[in-house]
Amino acid sequence: MLENIVVITLFTIACSMVLLIYRVIKGPSTPDRVIALDAIGINLVAFIALISIELKTSAFLDITLLIGILAFIGTVTFAKYLEKGVIIDHDRD
Amino acid sequence: MILQVCTKVCLFIIILFSVHSFFAGHYEPGGGFIGGLMTSGALVLLLIAYDMKTLKNILPIDFKYLIAVGLLFAVGTAAASLFFNVPFLTHAFGDVQIPILGETALHTATLFDLGVYLVVIGVTMTIIQTIGEDE
């Protein structure tokens, strides 16, 4: 029962990632692509959690938190680049 | 403003997670490399939300010295085994009496891992600070 549910959910998340990749490729503006990549990262977290249910191991649970942190830092960096043109200021006004 | 408040909250969670991953490296996935990368990720978040000067005020160290100290830790742990008539890089472990924590099992591979941790932080932050300086 649980295995079937996990497989169905994995398939659904894979479909949503494919649709997000379509948005990354097609997206008319850069912020669209950034948001799509961020959502792909969050989908990857769910994917890894479901795979660690499927493989009956808890070794991958650190990775989910790590991907969450990395997706956050990456999105913030890109947003700051789009907004201000520089990523790291030397001296904040 | 939102980003800065969020950074203040998230920074400690990220650093705690990296320290946990550093100390859990012997029995679980993790270790010095990924812990160092995550700590420097937290520092990068600080750099993005604030600026270089803030990081220099908070953490007034030259990250190039951190590389040297880390390499010294690694070579020191490796060379300390030579004094006990065992080959280079032989590690020892045992139960140590620490005043507060009581009897704790320690392994010298942790010190080697601490060297890796410091080198990874030093290299990453040196690269990012060198590239990030815009003048």
Side-chain angles (χ1 to χ4, degrees):
Chain A
M1 182 62 189
L2 183 65
E3 279 80 11
N4 288 335
I5 293 175
V6 168
V7 167
I8 291 169
T9 323
L10 279 173
F11 182 73
T12 319
I13 291 175
C15 288
S16 87
M17 279 167 81
V18 168
L19 293 175
L20 282 166
I21 286 172
Y22 169 75
R23 186 42 68 191
V24 171
I25 295 170
K26 184 79 191 318
S29 66
T30 314
D32 289 330
R33 294 193 172 97
V34 174
I35 290 176
L37 284 172
D38 190 39
I40 286 177
I42 304 302
N43 274 356
L44 214 56
V45 171
F47 208 84
I48 291 172
L50 285 167
I51 280 183
S52 76
I53 293 175
E54 179 82 17
L55 296 177
K56 295 185 174 57
T57 172
S58 63
F60 299 144
L61 294 182
D62 281 352
I63 312 291
T64 56
L65 188 49
L66 181 61
I67 290 183
I69 291 169
L70 287 183
F72 172 64
I73 293 178
T75 311
V76 164
T77 311
F78 232 113
K80 185 164 180 188
Y81 175 68
L82 292 176
E83 188 73 21
K84 296 181 79 174
V86 293
I87 295 174
I88 298 174
D89 301 324
H90 189 71
D91 194 3
R92 196 161 31 104
D93 300 322
Chain B
M1 182 66 200
I2 297 172
L3 176 62
Q4 290 175 357
V5 174
C6 188
T7 300
K8 281 174 196 161
V9 176
C10 288
L11 192 75
F12 296 102
I13 300 173
I14 300 175
I15 288 181
L16 266 181
F17 181 47
S18 76
V19 169
H20 162 260
S21 152
F22 168 70
F23 279 113
H26 203 72
Y27 295 109
E28 286 169 30
F33 186 74
I34 195 75
L37 273 184
M38 234 179 310
T39 306
S40 48
L43 296 179
V44 166
L45 185 62
L46 200 65
L47 275 182
I48 293 168
Y50 293 90
D51 50 39
M52 290 259 220
K53 227 175 225 173
T54 313
L55 184 69
K56 204 160 279 178
N57 281 338
I58 296 172
L59 219 60
I61 47 173
D62 191 352
F63 286 103
K64 290 196 260 329
Y65 290 120
L66 217 55
I67 305 175
V69 171
L71 284 175
L72 208 65
F73 260 103
V75 173
T77 7
S81 62
L82 288 177
F83 292 113
F84 299 101
N85 278 330
V86 283
F88 195 64
L89 269 175
T90 307
H91 288 296
F93 65 95
D95 294 335
V96 183
Q97 282 286 355
I98 296 176
I100 302 169
L101 297 173
E103 193 164 311
T104 320
L106 286 179
H107 198 288
T108 53
T110 313
L111 289 176
F112 190 81
D113 223 22
L114 184 66
V116 175
Y117 182 79
L118 293 178
V119 169
V120 169
I121 294 177
V123 168
T124 317
M125 292 314 290
T126 308
I127 290 172
I128 287 171
Q129 280 187 337
T130 314
I131 295 176
E133 294 216 327
D134 40 2
E135 55 229 73

